[in-house]
């Protein structure tokens, strides 16, 4: 299908952005925590806002990591059970699995958008630092949209269709090529 190739490229681009955002959130969280640690070490008193501010990044890390793991087939799968089925049933099980993933993504978008719109309160980090709950709520529908884009990869998202021997041979060839250069 001519439409799938651009959607797959878009999915890969979105995945790269999700990876960068996840790493940025982890680094921000670590930076804030380390700042609190150094302050406590140097002054003996704790900064009240470091724990609360660092905690804000957890939903972003969790939801974005979920989309990244889906893209690479690192989600929970019952591969042994599925591979013991005849090929026709494997394809049927994979189609059902993709349909359930699509339904989950649609529910994330649908209910997540309502959650985002109703998140009107402020999160009090300290007396001076206040953050809208919408900052964390928006990640729910965003992750649903990312999952929907990843579905353009179809069966490639499921590890039932990965041939281990072919994968191992490909990895060995990649290492050999890198060693020659």
């Amino acid at each position: 299908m001519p439409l799938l190739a651009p959607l797959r490229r878009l999915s890969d681009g979105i995945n790269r952005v999700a990876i960068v955002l996840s790493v940025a959130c982890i680094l921000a969280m670590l930076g804030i925590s380390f700042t609190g640690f150094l302050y406590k070490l140097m002054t003996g008193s704790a900064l009240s806002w470091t724990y609360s501010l660092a905690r804000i990044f957890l939903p972003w890390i969790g939801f974005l990591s979920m989309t990244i793991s889906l893209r690479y087939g690192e989600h929970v799968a019952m591969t042994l059970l599925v591979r013991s089925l005849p090929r026709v049933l494997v394809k049927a099980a994979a189609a059902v699995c993709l349909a359930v993933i699509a339904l989950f993504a649609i529910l994330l978008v649908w209910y997540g958008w309502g959650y985002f719109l109703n998140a009107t309160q402020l999160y009090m980090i300290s007396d001076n630092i206040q953050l809208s709950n919408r900052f964390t709520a928006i990640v729910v529908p965003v992750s649903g949209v990312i999952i929907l884009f990843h579905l353009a990869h179809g069966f490639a998202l499921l590890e039932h269709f990965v041939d281990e021997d072919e994968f191992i041979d490909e990895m060995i060839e990649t290492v050999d090529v890198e060693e020659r250069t």
Side-chain angles (χ1 to χ4, degrees), residues 9 30 38 44 49 60 66 72 75 79 85 96 107 109 118 131 133 143 145 150 153 160 173 181:
R9 282 194 302 276
L30 287 173
L38 285 179
W49 54 268
W60 282 90
M66 172 183 61
Y72 292 113
H75 50 81
T79 306
L85 298 172
V96 168
L107 291 174
V109 173
N118 291 322
L131 190 64
N133 279 344
S143 63
V145 169
H150 287 341
H153 289 282
H160 317 311
E173 288 174 15
T181 56

Side-chain angles (χ1 to χ4, degrees), residues 100-114 140-141 144 148:
V100 169
I101 291 171
L103 177 64
F104 176 68
I106 290 167
L107 291 174
L108 278 176
V109 173
W110 181 263
Y111 289 106
W113 187 251
V140 177
L148 288 173

Side-chain angles (χ1 to χ4, degrees), residues 128-141:
N128 297 326
I129 303 172
Q130 300 172 7
L131 190 64
S132 172
N133 279 344
R134 288 187 172 184
F135 176 77
T136 55
I138 191 64
V139 75
V140 177

